[in-house]
Amino acid sequence: MQDSVPAAIPAHVGIIMDGNGRWAKNRGLVRTQGHLEGLKTAKKIVKAASDLGIRFLTLYAFSTENWKRAADEVGFIMDLVKQYLRAEFDFSKKNKIRTRFTGDFSGLPPDIQKEISDSVADTAGFEGMQVVLAINYGGRDEIIRAFRKLSQAKENGESFGEKDLSLYLDNPDIPDPDLIIRTAGEYRTSNFLLWEGAYSELYFSGKMWPDWEKEDLQAAIADFQKRDRRFGGVK
Ligand code: IPE
Ligand code: IPE
Ligand code: MG
């Protein structure tokens, strides 16, 4: 019975796109060159994910901890985000891809804020895949921001639970990620989707992000389809 059911495509996939710097270093290039190449990969994987029927794709582009890096690297990444959002509108329109955002928006430079708001507004009516850009994102930061909003909404002493808090996360309408992928051989989440990823299946790839291809995404999904998700229960 089970075998005749077609294997399900995960509704929501999150990707920790790691290894841009090492990819560049391995080729004797500067780190920023790796980010440029990583952006090309991101575009390719967005298209591949959309073609595969993934509904939500969260891309971890910049963490709340990444400000520790050199100012020129940070500036370069911010410029790439801007470029991506500007240049991809035609592509988004053609593929009905909607842009969403997660992270501490107020902590971003005003020009990036504008670019993000414009892209989110311009694509709001598109009904294809939703790409959630995690920029200035930290899982702990998202939880604490949600907690602050929740405590303002509640009367002193009023009780609340997990469901109440989850309503104040950045995108409460988006289902938790089924699958979280990390590239470049690191086995950690680095503050990505801490709350939402509680029961996500994890997949680690040794390949640097700029080397990722559609086939790598397909392999991750095929692996996901073999997992037995129990959510703490017994089958
Ligand atoms: C991921 O690649 C991109 C960002 C974190 C912005 P890295 O820049 O972390 O690349 P490595 O891990 O140094 O190779
Ligand atoms: C995680 O990668 C953040 C992003 C991919 C945006 P990092 O390279 O910043 O993580 P660490 O430092 O290896 O944990
Ligand atoms: Mg890294």
Side-chain angles (χ1 to χ4, degrees), residues 56 95 138 163 181 183 235:
F56 304 92
N95 295 281
K163 282 221 165 61
I181 296 168
T183 64
K235 277 190 183 154

Side-chain angles (χ1 to χ4, degrees), residues 39-205:
L39 174 65
K40 291 185 197 158
T41 302
K43 291 183 192 173
K44 201 163 59 182
I45 296 300
V46 164
K47 176 78 170 74
S50 164
D51 290 345
L52 287 167
I54 290 167
R55 299 286 306 136
F56 304 92
L57 178 70
T58 299
L59 297 177
Y60 201 7
F62 194 86
S63 76
T64 47
E65 287 71 48
N66 286 147
W67 298 104
K68 290 176 191 163
R69 299 184 180 199
D72 63 341
E73 182 174 343
V74 170
F76 191 89
I77 294 169
M78 292 297 156
D79 280 346
L80 281 186
V81 166
K82 221 157 73 173
Q83 266 182 43
Y84 169 81
L85 292 170
R86 274 209 197 142
E88 289 310 283
F89 181 72
D90 288 345
F91 170 81
S92 297
K93 194 172 167 189
K94 189 165 165 241
N95 295 281
K96 299 278 165 281
I97 291 172
R98 181 172 165 193
T99 307
R100 305 285 299 265
F101 175 80
T102 182
D104 175 12
F105 189 73
S106 65
L108 286 168
D111 57 330
I112 305 289
Q113 288 189 10
K114 181 170 184 331
E115 220 59 59
I116 293 168
S117 311
D118 287 353
S119 177
V120 167
D122 293 345
T123 64
F126 294 167
E127 286 172 349
M129 187 175 77
Q130 303 194 17
V131 175
V132 188
L133 299 175
I135 307 170
N136 195 19
Y137 179 85
R140 288 183 176 180
D141 177 70
E142 186 189 15
I143 293 167
I144 203 75
R145 285 187 290 103
F147 182 73
R148 285 192 196 116
K149 286 179 256 180
L150 174 65
S151 34
Q152 275 184 345
K154 294 276 176 193
E155 302 288 339
N156 258 349
E158 202 182 336
S159 74
F160 54 82
E162 288 183 16
K163 282 221 165 61
D164 300 287
L165 190 108
S166 59
L167 289 175
Y168 289 92
L169 294 173
D170 289 344
N171 295 296
D173 60 308
I174 297 181
D176 287 343
D178 301 292
L179 171 65
I180 291 178
I181 296 168
R182 182 168 187 148
T183 64
E186 262 13 295
Y187 300 92
R188 53 179 172 261
T189 58
S190 300
N191 209 5
F192 186 53
L193 301 179
L194 295 185
W195 182 281
E196 301 88 334
Y199 272 97
S200 301
E201 295 298 324
L202 305 178
Y203 181 87
F204 298 99
S205 158

